[in-house]
Coordinates of all heavy atoms in Angstrom, one line a residue:
Chain A
M82 N 3.9 -28.1 8.9 CA 3.5 -28.9 7.8 C 4.4 -28.7 6.6 O 4.5 -27.7 6.0 CB 2.0 -28.5 7.4 CG 1.4 -29.4 6.4 SD 1.6 -31.1 6.8 CE 1.3 -31.1 8.6
R126 N 0.4 -25.8 2.0 CA 0.9 -25.0 0.9 C 2.4 -24.9 1.0 O 2.9 -24.8 2.1 CB 0.4 -23.5 1.0 CG -1.1 -23.3 1.2 CD -1.9 -23.5 -0.1 NE -1.5 -23.0 -1.4 CZ -1.5 -21.7 -1.8 NH1 -1.9 -20.8 -1.0 NH2 -1.1 -21.4 -3.0
A129 N 7.0 -20.5 1.2 CA 7.4 -19.6 0.2 C 8.9 -19.3 0.3 O 9.6 -19.2 -0.8 CB 6.7 -18.3 0.4
A130 N 9.5 -19.3 1.5 CA 10.9 -19.0 1.6 C 11.8 -20.1 1.0 O 12.7 -19.9 0.3 CB 11.3 -18.8 3.1
A131 N 11.4 -21.4 1.3 CA 12.1 -22.5 0.7 C 12.1 -22.5 -0.8 O 13.1 -22.7 -1.5 CB 11.6 -23.8 1.3
L134 N 14.2 -19.7 -2.1 CA 15.6 -20.1 -2.0 C 16.0 -21.0 -3.2 O 17.0 -20.8 -3.8 CB 15.9 -20.7 -0.7 CG 17.3 -21.2 -0.4 CD1 18.3 -20.0 -0.6 CD2 17.4 -21.8 0.9
T139 N 11.1 -14.9 -6.1 CA 10.2 -14.7 -4.9 C 8.7 -14.6 -5.3 O 7.9 -14.6 -4.4 CB 10.6 -13.5 -4.2 OG1 10.4 -12.3 -5.0 CG2 12.1 -13.5 -3.7
T141 N 7.3 -12.0 -6.0 CA 6.9 -10.8 -5.3 C 7.6 -9.6 -6.0 O 8.7 -9.7 -6.5 CB 7.5 -10.8 -3.9 OG1 7.0 -12.0 -3.2 CG2 7.0 -9.6 -3.1
A149 N 5.6 7.6 3.6 CA 4.1 7.7 4.0 C 3.8 9.1 4.7 O 2.7 9.6 4.6 CB 3.7 6.6 4.8
R152 N 1.6 13.0 2.5 CA 0.4 12.3 2.0 C 0.4 12.2 0.5 O 0.8 13.0 -0.2 CB -0.8 13.2 2.4 CG -1.0 13.4 3.9 CD -2.1 14.3 4.2 NE -3.4 13.8 3.6 CZ -4.1 12.9 4.2 NH1 -3.7 12.3 5.3 NH2 -5.2 12.4 3.7
D155 N -4.1 11.8 -4.9 CA -5.1 10.9 -5.4 C -4.6 10.1 -6.6 O -4.9 9.0 -6.8 CB -6.3 11.7 -5.9 CG -7.5 11.3 -5.1 OD1 -7.6 11.6 -3.9 OD2 -8.4 10.6 -5.7
L158 N -2.3 7.5 -5.3 CA -3.0 6.4 -4.7 C -3.6 5.5 -5.8 O -3.7 4.3 -5.7 CB -4.1 7.0 -3.8 CG -3.6 7.6 -2.6 CD1 -4.7 8.4 -1.9 CD2 -3.0 6.6 -1.7
A162 N -3.1 1.5 -6.1 CA -4.2 0.6 -6.2 C -4.1 -0.3 -7.5 O -4.3 -1.5 -7.4 CB -5.5 1.4 -6.2
V165 N -1.2 -2.9 -7.3 CA -1.6 -4.0 -6.4 C -2.6 -4.9 -7.1 O -2.4 -6.1 -7.0 CB -2.1 -3.4 -5.1 CG1 -2.7 -4.5 -4.2 CG2 -1.0 -2.7 -4.3
D166 N -3.5 -4.3 -7.7 CA -4.6 -5.1 -8.4 C -4.0 -5.9 -9.5 O -4.2 -7.1 -9.6 CB -5.6 -4.1 -9.0 CG -6.9 -4.3 -8.3 OD1 -7.0 -4.9 -7.2 OD2 -7.9 -3.9 -9.0
D172 N -0.9 -13.2 -9.9 CA -0.4 -14.0 -8.7 C 0.9 -13.6 -8.2 O 1.8 -14.4 -7.8 CB -0.4 -15.5 -9.1 CG -1.8 -16.1 -9.1 OD1 -2.6 -15.6 -8.5 OD2 -1.9 -17.1 -9.8
L173 N 1.1 -12.3 -8.2 CA 2.3 -11.7 -7.6 C 2.0 -11.0 -6.3 O 0.9 -10.3 -6.3 CB 3.0 -10.7 -8.6 CG 3.7 -11.4 -9.8 CD1 4.1 -10.3 -10.8 CD2 4.9 -12.2 -9.4
D174 N 2.8 -11.1 -5.3 CA 2.6 -10.3 -4.1 C 3.3 -9.0 -4.3 O 4.3 -8.9 -5.0 CB 3.0 -11.0 -2.9 CG 2.1 -12.2 -2.6 OD1 0.9 -12.0 -2.7 OD2 2.6 -13.3 -2.2
V175 N 2.9 -8.0 -3.5 CA 3.5 -6.7 -3.5 C 4.1 -6.3 -2.2 O 3.4 -6.3 -1.2 CB 2.5 -5.6 -3.9 CG1 3.1 -4.2 -3.9 CG2 2.0 -5.9 -5.3
L176 N 5.4 -6.0 -2.2 CA 6.0 -5.5 -1.0 C 6.2 -4.0 -1.1 O 6.7 -3.5 -2.1 CB 7.4 -6.2 -0.9 CG 8.1 -6.3 0.4 CD1 7.3 -7.1 1.4 CD2 9.4 -7.1 0.3
L177 N 5.7 -3.3 -0.1 CA 5.7 -1.9 -0.1 C 7.0 -1.3 0.5 O 7.3 -1.7 1.6 CB 4.5 -1.4 0.7 CG 3.6 -0.4 0.1 CD1 3.3 -0.7 -1.4 CD2 2.3 -0.3 0.9
P179 N 8.3 2.4 1.6 CA 8.1 3.8 1.6 C 9.5 4.5 1.7 O 10.1 4.5 2.8 CB 7.3 4.1 2.8 CG 7.7 2.9 3.7 CD 8.2 1.8 2.9
R186 N 16.6 2.4 4.6 CA 16.8 1.0 5.0 C 15.8 0.1 4.3 O 16.2 -1.0 3.8 CB 16.5 0.9 6.5 CG 17.2 2.0 7.4 CD 18.3 1.4 8.2 NE 17.8 0.4 9.2 CZ 17.4 0.8 10.4 NH1 17.4 2.1 10.7 NH2 17.1 -0.1 11.3
E189 N 16.8 -0.5 0.8 CA 18.0 -1.4 0.7 C 17.6 -2.9 1.0 O 18.1 -3.8 0.3 CB 19.1 -1.0 1.7 CG 20.0 0.1 1.1 CD 20.6 -0.3 -0.3 OE1 21.1 -1.4 -0.4 OE2 20.6 0.6 -1.2
R190 N 16.8 -3.1 2.0 CA 16.3 -4.4 2.3 C 15.7 -5.1 1.1 O 16.0 -6.2 0.7 CB 15.3 -4.4 3.4 CG 15.9 -4.5 4.8 CD 14.8 -5.0 5.7 NE 13.6 -4.3 5.7 CZ 13.3 -3.2 6.4 NH1 14.2 -2.7 7.2 NH2 12.1 -2.6 6.2
S193 N 18.5 -5.2 -2.1 CA 19.7 -6.0 -2.0 C 19.6 -7.3 -1.2 O 20.4 -8.1 -1.2 CB 20.9 -5.2 -1.6 OG 20.7 -4.6 -0.3
G194 N 18.4 -7.4 -0.5 CA 18.2 -8.7 0.2 C 17.5 -9.7 -0.7 O 17.1 -10.7 -0.3
R195 N 17.4 -9.3 -2.0 CA 16.7 -10.1 -3.0 C 15.3 -10.6 -2.5 O 15.0 -11.8 -2.5 CB 17.5 -11.3 -3.3 CG 18.5 -11.0 -4.5 CD 19.8 -11.8 -4.4 NE 20.5 -11.5 -3.1 CZ 21.6 -12.1 -2.7 NH1 22.1 -13.0 -3.4 NH2 22.2 -11.7 -1.6
R196 N 14.6 -9.7 -1.9 CA 13.2 -10.0 -1.5 C 12.2 -9.9 -2.6 O 11.1 -10.3 -2.4 CB 12.8 -9.0 -0.3 CG 13.7 -9.1 0.9 CD 13.2 -8.2 2.0 NE 11.8 -8.6 2.3 CZ 11.5 -9.5 3.2 NH1 12.5 -10.2 3.7 NH2 10.3 -9.8 3.4
A304 N -5.1 21.8 0.3 CA -6.1 22.8 0.0 C -5.8 24.1 0.6 O -5.9 25.2 -0.1 CB -7.5 22.3 0.5
Q305 N -5.3 24.1 1.8 CA -5.0 25.4 2.5 C -3.9 26.2 1.7 O -4.1 27.4 1.5 CB -4.6 25.2 3.9 CG -5.9 25.0 4.8 CD -5.6 24.4 6.2 OE1 -4.4 24.2 6.5 NE2 -6.6 24.2 6.9
R337 N -11.8 28.0 -3.4 CA -12.3 28.8 -2.3 C -11.7 30.2 -2.5 O -12.5 31.2 -2.3 CB -11.7 28.2 -1.0 CG -12.7 27.3 -0.4 CD -12.1 26.8 0.9 NE -11.7 25.4 0.9 CZ -10.9 24.8 1.6 NH1 -10.2 25.5 2.5 NH2 -10.7 23.5 1.5
H359 N -12.1 10.2 -12.0 CA -13.0 10.1 -10.9 C -12.9 11.4 -10.0 O -14.0 11.9 -9.6 CB -12.6 8.9 -10.1 CG -13.3 8.7 -8.8 ND1 -14.5 7.9 -8.8 CD2 -13.2 9.2 -7.6 CE1 -15.0 7.9 -7.6 NE2 -14.2 8.7 -6.8
N363 N -15.7 14.5 -9.5 CA -16.3 14.6 -8.2 C -16.2 16.0 -7.6 O -16.8 16.3 -6.6 CB -15.8 13.6 -7.2 CG -16.8 12.5 -7.0 OD1 -17.9 12.8 -6.5 ND2 -16.5 11.3 -7.4
H365 N -16.3 20.1 -7.3 CA -17.5 20.9 -7.6 C -17.0 22.4 -7.7 O -16.6 22.9 -6.7 CB -18.5 20.8 -6.4 CG -19.8 21.4 -6.7 ND1 -20.6 20.9 -7.7 CD2 -20.4 22.6 -6.3 CE1 -21.7 21.7 -7.8 NE2 -21.5 22.7 -6.9
Chain B
M414 N 26.1 -13.4 -5.2 CA 26.9 -13.0 -4.0 C 26.3 -13.6 -2.8 O 25.2 -13.3 -2.3 CB 26.9 -11.5 -3.9 CG 27.8 -11.0 -2.9 SD 29.4 -11.7 -3.1 CE 29.6 -11.6 -4.8
R458 N 24.4 -8.3 1.0 CA 23.4 -8.4 2.1 C 22.9 -9.8 2.1 O 22.7 -10.4 1.0 CB 22.2 -7.5 1.7 CG 22.5 -6.1 1.4 CD 22.8 -5.1 2.6 NE 22.0 -5.3 3.9 CZ 20.8 -4.9 4.1 NH1 20.1 -4.3 3.2 NH2 20.3 -5.0 5.3
A461 N 17.4 -12.9 1.9 CA 16.2 -12.9 2.8 C 15.5 -14.3 2.8 O 15.1 -14.7 3.9 CB 15.2 -11.8 2.4
A462 N 15.5 -14.9 1.7 CA 14.8 -16.2 1.6 C 15.5 -17.3 2.5 O 14.9 -18.0 3.2 CB 14.6 -16.7 0.2
A463 N 16.8 -17.3 2.3 CA 17.6 -18.3 3.0 C 17.5 -18.0 4.5 O 17.3 -18.9 5.3 CB 19.1 -18.2 2.6
A465 N 15.1 -16.5 6.1 CA 13.7 -16.8 6.5 C 13.6 -18.3 6.7 O 12.9 -18.8 7.6 CB 12.7 -16.3 5.5
L466 N 14.1 -19.0 5.8 CA 14.0 -20.5 5.8 C 14.7 -21.0 7.1 O 14.1 -21.8 7.8 CB 14.6 -21.1 4.6 CG 14.6 -22.6 4.5 CD1 13.2 -23.1 4.6 CD2 15.3 -23.1 3.2
T471 N 10.1 -14.2 8.8 CA 10.3 -13.5 7.5 C 10.6 -12.0 7.7 O 11.0 -11.3 6.7 CB 9.1 -13.6 6.6 OG1 8.0 -13.0 7.3 CG2 8.7 -15.0 6.3
T473 N 8.6 -9.8 8.0 CA 7.6 -9.2 7.1 C 6.2 -9.3 7.8 O 5.9 -10.4 8.3 CB 7.6 -9.9 5.8 OG1 8.9 -9.9 5.2 CG2 6.6 -9.2 4.8
A481 N -8.7 -3.4 -4.0 CA -8.3 -2.1 -4.5 C -9.4 -1.5 -5.4 O -9.5 -0.3 -5.5 CB -7.0 -2.2 -5.3
R484 N -12.6 2.0 -3.9 CA -11.7 3.1 -3.4 C -11.6 3.1 -1.9 O -12.7 3.1 -1.3 CB -12.1 4.4 -4.0 CG -12.1 4.4 -5.5 CD -12.6 5.8 -6.0 NE -11.8 6.9 -5.5 CZ -10.6 7.2 -6.0 NH1 -10.1 6.5 -7.0 NH2 -9.9 8.2 -5.5
D487 N -10.4 8.0 3.1 CA -9.3 8.7 3.6 C -8.8 8.1 4.9 O -7.6 8.1 5.2 CB -9.7 10.2 3.9 CG -8.8 11.1 3.1 OD1 -9.0 11.1 1.8 OD2 -8.0 11.8 3.7
L490 N -6.9 5.0 4.2 CA -5.6 5.3 3.7 C -4.6 5.8 4.8 O -3.5 5.4 4.8 CB -5.7 6.4 2.6 CG -6.4 6.0 1.4 CD1 -6.7 7.2 0.5 CD2 -5.5 5.0 0.6
A494 N -1.1 4.0 5.6 CA 0.2 4.8 5.7 C 0.8 4.7 7.0 O 2.0 4.5 7.1 CB -0.2 6.3 5.4
V497 N 2.4 1.2 7.4 CA 3.6 1.0 6.7 C 4.8 1.8 7.3 O 5.9 1.3 7.4 CB 3.4 1.6 5.2 CG1 4.7 1.7 4.5 CG2 2.4 0.6 4.5
D498 N 4.4 3.0 7.8 CA 5.4 3.8 8.5 C 6.0 3.1 9.8 O 7.2 3.0 10.0 CB 4.8 5.1 8.9 CG 5.5 6.2 8.2 OD1 6.1 6.0 7.1 OD2 5.3 7.4 8.6
D504 N 11.9 -2.0 11.3 CA 12.6 -2.8 10.3 C 11.8 -4.0 9.8 O 12.4 -5.1 9.6 CB 13.9 -3.2 10.8 CG 15.0 -2.1 10.8 OD1 14.8 -1.2 9.9 OD2 15.9 -2.1 11.5
L505 N 10.5 -3.8 9.6 CA 9.7 -4.8 9.1 C 9.2 -4.4 7.7 O 8.9 -3.2 7.5 CB 8.4 -5.1 10.0 CG 8.7 -5.7 11.3 CD1 7.5 -5.6 12.2 CD2 9.2 -7.2 11.2
D506 N 9.1 -5.4 6.8 CA 8.5 -5.0 5.5 C 7.0 -5.3 5.5 O 6.6 -6.1 6.4 CB 9.2 -5.8 4.4 CG 10.6 -5.3 4.1 OD1 10.8 -4.1 4.1 OD2 11.5 -6.1 4.0
V507 N 6.3 -4.7 4.6 CA 4.9 -4.9 4.6 C 4.5 -5.5 3.2 O 4.8 -5.0 2.2 CB 4.2 -3.6 4.8 CG1 2.7 -3.7 4.6 CG2 4.5 -3.0 6.1
L508 N 3.8 -6.6 3.3 CA 3.3 -7.3 2.1 C 1.8 -7.0 2.1 O 1.0 -7.2 3.0 CB 3.5 -8.8 2.3 CG 3.5 -9.6 1.0 CD1 4.5 -9.2 0.0 CD2 3.7 -11.1 1.4
L509 N 1.4 -6.4 0.9 CA 0.0 -6.0 0.8 C -0.9 -7.1 0.2 O -0.5 -7.7 -0.8 CB 0.0 -4.8 -0.2 CG -0.8 -3.5 0.3 CD1 -0.5 -3.2 1.7 CD2 -0.4 -2.4 -0.7
P511 N -4.7 -7.4 -1.1 CA -6.0 -6.8 -1.3 C -7.1 -7.9 -1.4 O -7.2 -8.6 -2.4 CB -5.9 -6.1 -2.7 CG -4.9 -6.9 -3.4 CD -4.0 -7.6 -2.4
R518 N -7.0 -15.6 -3.4 CA -5.7 -16.2 -3.7 C -4.6 -15.5 -2.9 O -3.8 -16.1 -2.3 CB -5.4 -16.2 -5.2 CG -6.5 -16.6 -6.1 CD -6.3 -17.9 -6.7 NE -5.2 -17.9 -7.6 CZ -5.3 -17.5 -8.9 NH1 -6.4 -17.1 -9.4 NH2 -4.2 -17.6 -9.7
E521 N -4.7 -16.2 0.7 CA -4.2 -17.6 1.0 C -2.7 -17.7 0.9 O -2.0 -18.3 1.7 CB -4.9 -18.6 0.1 CG -6.2 -19.0 0.6 CD -6.2 -19.6 2.0 OE1 -5.2 -20.4 2.3 OE2 -7.0 -19.2 2.8
R522 N -2.1 -17.1 -0.2 CA -0.7 -17.1 -0.3 C 0.0 -16.5 0.9 O 0.9 -17.1 1.4 CB -0.3 -16.2 -1.6 CG -0.2 -17.0 -2.9 CD 0.7 -16.2 -3.8 NE 0.3 -14.8 -3.9 CZ -0.6 -14.3 -4.8 NH1 -1.2 -15.1 -5.6 NH2 -0.8 -13.0 -4.8
S525 N -1.0 -18.9 4.2 CA -0.6 -20.3 4.4 C 0.7 -20.6 3.7 O 1.2 -21.7 3.9 CB -1.8 -21.2 3.9 OG -2.1 -20.9 2.6
G526 N 1.2 -19.6 2.9 CA 2.6 -19.9 2.4 C 3.6 -19.4 3.4 O 4.8 -19.4 3.1
R527 N 3.2 -19.0 4.5 CA 4.1 -18.5 5.6 C 5.0 -17.4 5.0 O 6.2 -17.4 5.2 CB 4.9 -19.6 6.2 CG 4.2 -20.3 7.3 CD 4.6 -21.8 7.4 NE 4.2 -22.5 6.2 CZ 4.5 -23.7 6.0 NH1 5.2 -24.4 6.8 NH2 4.0 -24.3 4.9
R528 N 4.4 -16.5 4.3 CA 5.2 -15.4 3.7 C 5.4 -14.3 4.7 O 6.1 -13.3 4.5 CB 4.5 -14.8 2.5 CG 4.4 -15.8 1.4 CD 3.8 -15.2 0.1 NE 4.6 -14.1 -0.3 CZ 5.7 -14.1 -1.0 NH1 6.3 -15.3 -1.3 NH2 6.4 -13.0 -1.3
A636 N -19.0 11.3 -3.3 CA -19.7 12.6 -3.2 C -21.0 12.6 -3.9 O -22.0 13.1 -3.4 CB -18.8 13.7 -3.7
Q637 N -21.1 12.0 -5.1 CA -22.3 12.1 -5.9 C -23.4 11.4 -5.1 O -24.6 11.9 -5.1 CB -22.1 11.5 -7.3 CG -21.5 12.5 -8.2 CD -20.9 11.8 -9.5 OE1 -21.0 10.6 -9.7 NE2 -20.3 12.6 -10.3
R669 N -23.1 20.0 -0.9 CA -23.7 20.5 -2.2 C -25.2 20.4 -2.2 O -25.9 21.4 -2.5 CB -23.2 19.7 -3.4 CG -21.9 20.2 -3.9 CD -21.6 19.3 -5.1 NE -20.4 18.6 -4.8 CZ -20.0 17.5 -5.5 NH1 -20.8 17.0 -6.4 NH2 -18.8 16.9 -5.2
H691 N -7.0 15.9 9.6 CA -6.5 16.6 8.5 C -7.7 16.8 7.5 O -7.8 17.9 6.9 CB -5.4 15.7 7.8 CG -4.9 16.3 6.6 ND1 -3.8 17.1 6.6 CD2 -5.3 16.1 5.3 CE1 -3.5 17.4 5.3 NE2 -4.4 16.8 4.5
N695 N -9.7 20.3 6.4 CA -9.5 20.8 5.0 C -10.8 21.0 4.3 O -10.9 21.6 3.2 CB -8.6 19.9 4.2 CG -7.3 20.5 4.1 OD1 -7.1 21.5 3.4 ND2 -6.3 19.9 4.7
H697 N -14.6 22.3 3.5 CA -15.1 23.7 3.5 C -16.6 23.7 3.5 O -17.2 23.4 2.5 CB -14.5 24.5 2.3 CG -14.8 25.9 2.4 ND1 -14.1 26.7 3.4 CD2 -15.6 26.7 1.8 CE1 -14.5 27.9 3.3 NE2 -15.4 28.0 2.3

Side-chain angles (χ1 to χ4, degrees):
Chain A
M82 188 46 43
R126 309 282 320 282
L134 178 57
T139 60
T141 304
R152 300 177 58 79
D155 239 71
L158 292 170
V165 170
D166 244 19
D172 282 338
L173 290 170
D174 288 317
V175 174
L176 202 57
L177 228 47
R186 314 252 293 274
E189 276 305 317
R190 270 202 308 272
S193 56
R195 272 148 300 176
R196 297 186 58 83
Q305 278 162 4
R337 270 182 246 159
H359 176 92
N363 255 296
H365 191 71
Chain B
M414 189 48 41
R458 307 282 324 278
L466 179 57
T471 60
T473 304
R484 300 177 58 79
D487 239 70
L490 292 170
V497 169
D498 245 19
D504 282 337
L505 290 169
D506 287 317
V507 174
L508 202 57
L509 229 47
R518 316 251 293 275
E521 275 305 316
R522 270 203 309 272
S525 57
R527 273 148 299 175
R528 296 186 58 78
Q637 278 164 3
R669 271 182 246 159
H691 177 91
N695 255 295
H697 190 69

